[in-house]
């Protein structure tokens, strides 16, 4: 227990600046993570308040669709029933918890109901780590966590910096009035980083990155839409999905093939892709885990960075504080393994007093169940910090006037439309 507290205190320190950003994006993920506890069976334990299924087959799934998303459904559910409440996901009885105290009690749980992410199965595949529980799940996580450990992280800073420098160079060529599509840039950044650092692949040019991203967006919005408006098998929508998916599949297969043909030399570190290839035996499982990690790394961090720049652009006084902090702590040095912890920028939400007045597990953007926590959390903090520092020390970020920015609660909160910004050189 003590150890847990110490390590989370350390994490807190390393990520102050980012917590602010991540808070914005992960509100949803945080709630989804809360629905971890599933009690299979047909009769519900009478002590847990909650809903009876609307229909025997779908449970409350139609109600989730009506609420707009699982996030909005859960907000209503907990408002109605308090911090522990039940509902039916199809024929599975699900208990959702919604308080730091309850998170703490469930820290040792590993298994997660596969039904929760069923919606994404057409993309990440049935054999994905996302659905693996019990011995198999723990075994795969034990292996996959190694290339993402605290120690392994050191090797990625160069990759992070190179990709951030490319982006900085690109932005330097833009004129002051030019409107910049923020989320496109940020997801391209996150995608390039993941594929380079974890899969050993650098795209030759941005065309391929954009192609990946465009088709990925088609697949993802189709799967989210499928919850509220299910597509008929064989329909035009289904065809569009399948075409987009085959583009992604093809790119991923080539990346894996390339790595198989160019494995690490004896003195080189194993990348995540190498570990996946040697850990699991089935070809489909290899592919599904690769695509799961690519998605896990692209979607989340891309959106976290998007929201981060958005909030900094709409709060210029906070952006100034960040800039001063970077100058003071780093001067002109790049972020690296050693100095990342010196960035202690505290937006007021994360000031020491405010942190102290909150329960320890009030903010769990990467999940709260120790062994099942997001395997990429250190990686995400580090790459995002490098991106923020590299761009914010060179540019002041402003909003293009007159935009209405609406958050959409999918699996990860994203803006309804593109967010447009302009930049000024510092
Ligand atoms: C801001 C960035 C990120 C956020 C907020 C985030 C959040 C989360 C959350 C909440 C979970 C579920 C944890 C649970 O069920 O208790 C998760 C799982 C996962 N994340 Fe992340 N994540 C981020 C970045 C990344 C990155 C960079 C990678 C890849 C390196 C990644 C890969 C994964 C994978 C593979 C899983 C599933 C693990 C399993 O099934 O055991 N994530 N993430
Ligand atoms: C879930 O099912 C119950 C029982 O049929 C129903 O009363 C309830 O309205 C449903 N959904 C929600 C969000 O309340
Ligand atoms: C959408 O839902 C239908 C019916 O549940 C399913 O057959 C189809 O595969 C889903 N499509 C996608 C893209 O998720």
């Amino acid at each position: 227990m003590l150890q847990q507290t110490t390590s989370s205190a350390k994490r807190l320190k390393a990520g102050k600046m980012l917590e602010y950003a991540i808070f914005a994006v992960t509100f949803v993920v945080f709630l989804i993570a809360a629905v971890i506890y599933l009690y299979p069976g047909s009769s519900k334990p009478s002590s847990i308040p909650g809903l009876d299924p609307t229909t025997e087959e779908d449970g409350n799934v139609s109600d989730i669709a009506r609420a707009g998303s699982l996030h909005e459904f859960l907000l209503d559910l907990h408002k109605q029933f308090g911090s522990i409440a039940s509902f039916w996901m199809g024929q599975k009885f699900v208990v959702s918890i919604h308080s730091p105290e309850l998170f703490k009690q469930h820290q040792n749980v590993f298994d997660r109901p596969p039904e929760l992410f069923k919606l994404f199965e057409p993309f990440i595949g049935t054999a994905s780590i996302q659905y693996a529980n019990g011995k198999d799940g723990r075994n795969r996580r034990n292996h996959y966590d190694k290339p993402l450990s605290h120690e392994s992280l050191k090797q990625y800073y160069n990759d992070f910096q190179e990709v951030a420098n490319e982006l900085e160079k690109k932005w330097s060529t833009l004129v002051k009035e030019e409107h910049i599509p923020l989320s496109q840039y940020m997801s391209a950044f996150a995608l390039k980083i993941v594929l380079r650092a974890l899969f050993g692949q650098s795209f030759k040019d941005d065309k391929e990155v954009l192609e990946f991203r465009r088709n990925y967006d088609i697949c993802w919005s189709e799967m989210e839409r499928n919850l509220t408006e299910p597509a008929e098998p064989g329909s035009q929508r289904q065809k569009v999905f399948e075409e987009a998916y085959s583009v992604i599949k093809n790119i991923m297969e080539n990346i894996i093939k390339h790595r198989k043909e160019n494995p690490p030399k004896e003195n080189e570190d194993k990348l995540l892709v190498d570990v996946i290839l040697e850990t699991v035996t089935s070809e489909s499982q290899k592919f599904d885990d690769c695509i799961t990690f690519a998605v896990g790394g692209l979607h989340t961090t891309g959106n976290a960075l998007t929201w981060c720049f958005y909030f900094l652009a709409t709060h210029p006084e906070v952006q100034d504080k960040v800039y001063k902090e970077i100058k003071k702590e780093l001067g002109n040095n790049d972020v690296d393994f050693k100095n990342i912890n010196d960035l202690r920028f505290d937006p007021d939400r994360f000031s020491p007093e405010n942190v102290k007045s909150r329960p320890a597990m009030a903010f769990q953007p990467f999940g709260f169940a120790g062994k099942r926590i997001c395997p990429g959390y250190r990686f995400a903090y580090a790459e995002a910090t490098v991106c923020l520092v590299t761009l914010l020390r060179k540019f002041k970020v402003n909003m293009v006037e007159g935009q209405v920015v609406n958050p959409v609660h999918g699996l990860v909160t994203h803006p309804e439309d593109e967010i447009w910004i302009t930049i000024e050189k510092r």
Side-chain angles (χ1 to χ4, degrees):
M1 191 55 234
L2 187 68
Q3 228 168 4
Q4 205 112 33
T5 319
T6 327
S7 80
S8 62
K10 261 194 217 137
R11 228 183 300 150
L12 209 68
K13 189 176 159 209
K16 278 275 165 58
M17 176 153 127
L18 263 226
E19 287 190 343
Y20 169 63
I22 288 176
F23 170 77
V25 73
T26 52
F27 193 46
V28 174
V29 186
F30 157 79
L31 276 174
I32 289 182
V35 202
I36 267 188
Y37 309 98
L38 175 98
Y39 302 86
S42 52
S43 65
K44 73 173 187 182
S46 58
S47 58
I48 298 172
L51 304 168
D52 292 323
T54 301
T55 69
E56 206 177 300
E57 202 181 311
D58 280 353
N60 280 109
V61 167
S62 57
D63 305 304
I64 298 172
R66 211 172 308 123
S69 66
L70 186 56
H71 169 76
E72 282 144 319
F73 173 80
L74 290 179
L75 285 179
D76 284 349
L77 185 79
H78 286 292
K79 204 187 270 167
Q80 204 180 333
F81 294 101
S83 61
I84 177 161
S86 65
F87 63 98
W88 293 83
M89 197 97 181
Q91 294 175 25
K92 291 278 179 171
F93 181 66
V94 179
V95 176
S96 175
I97 57 177
H98 188 245
S99 81
E101 293 71 29
L102 287 167
F103 284 4
K104 208 168 186 168
Q105 288 172 32
H106 289 83
Q107 256 183 322
N108 295 325
V109 173
F110 182 87
D111 289 357
R112 189 171 50 202
E115 284 76 7
L116 270 183
F117 299 102
K118 196 86 185 149
L119 201 61
F120 302 98
E121 208 179 75
F123 197 82
I124 60 176
T126 49
S128 164
I129 176 78
Q130 191 71 250
Y131 306 115
N133 283 332
K135 231 172 123 183
D136 170 43
R138 284 169 188 268
N139 177 46
R140 274 148 83 187
R141 277 297 301 262
N142 278 341
H143 285 97
Y144 299 171
D145 284 356
K146 279 183 202 132
L148 292 163
S149 69
H150 180 70
E151 206 42 41
S152 298
L153 202 67
K154 289 179 191 170
Q155 63 178 304
Y156 306 127
Y157 278 84
N158 268 341
D159 290 321
F160 297 164
Q161 195 60 56
E162 269 173 40
V163 179
N165 287 348
E166 276 170 27
L167 182 54
E168 190 254 308
K169 223 163 111 192
K170 169 84 195 151
W171 279 17
S172 295
T173 65
L174 304 177
V175 291
K176 198 176 155 202
E177 301 77 31
E178 196 154 336
H179 293 188
I180 301 174
L182 180 61
S183 82
Q184 276 212 34
Y185 272 103
M186 291 307 129
S187 36
F189 175 83
L191 176 62
K192 281 188 197 176
I193 295 260
V194 159
L195 295 181
R196 187 184 295 214
L198 302 180
F199 291 87
Q201 168 80 16
S202 17
F203 284 123
K204 290 174 289 300
D205 55 50
D206 279 3
K207 232 179 83 199
E208 223 178 340
V209 177
L210 292 176
E211 200 194 4
F212 190 110
R213 150 85 206 239
R214 200 175 62 78
N215 286 286
Y216 174 82
D217 281 354
I218 294 173
C219 293
W220 210 260
S221 55
E222 176 54 38
M223 286 184 293
E224 286 184 345
R225 184 175 168 201
N226 216 15
L227 175 65
T228 42
E229 307 160 48
E232 296 290 328
S235 62
Q236 184 58 22
R237 272 173 56 192
Q238 193 69 23
K239 272 194 211 113
V240 170
F241 172 86
E242 273 152 25
E243 266 166 41
Y245 176 69
S246 74
V247 175
I248 303 280
K249 189 163 190 273
N250 192 31
I251 297 176
M252 260 336 270
E253 275 170 354
N254 282 334
I255 290 172
I256 297 169
K257 185 162 157 268
H258 179 265
R259 186 68 185 176
K260 276 185 183 159
E261 288 163 3
N262 302 277
K265 306 199 178 63
E266 217 150 280
N267 59 342
E268 284 174 350
D269 291 306
K270 274 187 205 157
L271 302 184
L272 177 81
V273 61
D274 307 315
V275 177
I276 292 177
L277 294 179
E278 72 183 24
T279 300
V280 293
T281 44
S282 121
E283 286 305 312
S284 66
Q285 206 167 60
K286 285 178 192 179
F287 182 79
D288 290 355
D289 278 351
C290 284
I291 202 147
T292 301
F293 269 89
V295 171
L298 145 76
H299 202 98
T300 47
T301 317
N303 277 305
L305 279 166
T306 301
W307 288 119
C308 196
F309 279 106
Y310 165 73
F311 285 116
L312 291 170
T314 48
H315 298 80
E317 70 292 349
V318 181
Q319 192 178 160
D320 271 353
K321 262 168 100 175
V322 177
Y323 178 70
K324 288 193 182 117
E325 167 87 9
I326 295 169
K327 281 297 190 198
K328 178 166 158 272
E329 295 298 334
L330 298 180
N332 291 320
N333 293 331
D334 286 339
V335 180
D336 65 25
F337 185 65
K338 286 183 227 88
N339 65 24
I340 190 165
N341 287 348
D342 299 337
L343 294 166
R344 304 215 26 171
F345 167 69
D346 298 338
D348 298 337
R349 193 193 293 281
F350 295 101
S351 68
E353 308 83 72
N354 285 348
V355 166
K356 211 182 284 168
S357 67
R358 273 198 301 265
M361 299 195 92
F363 181 64
Q364 293 296 120
F366 297 98
F368 57 86
K371 289 270 170 359
R372 202 73 200 243
I373 186 178
C374 169
Y377 79 91
R378 297 185 191 87
F379 188 92
Y381 268 138
E383 64 169 308
T385 305
V386 170
C387 179
L388 286 165
V389 167
T390 306
L391 295 176
L392 291 173
R393 70 162 26 139
K394 287 282 168 62
F395 308 103
K396 181 166 185 295
V397 178
N398 303 308
M399 289 296 287
V400 170
E401 305 260 322
Q403 292 178 82
V404 180
V405 174
N406 290 321
V408 176
H409 307 292
L411 183 70
V412 176
T413 311
H414 57 87
E416 187 172 15
D417 301 306
E418 181 57 277
I419 297 178
W420 296 91
I421 56 162
T422 57
I423 48 171
E424 270 173 73
K425 287 194 181 127
R426 291 263 187 197

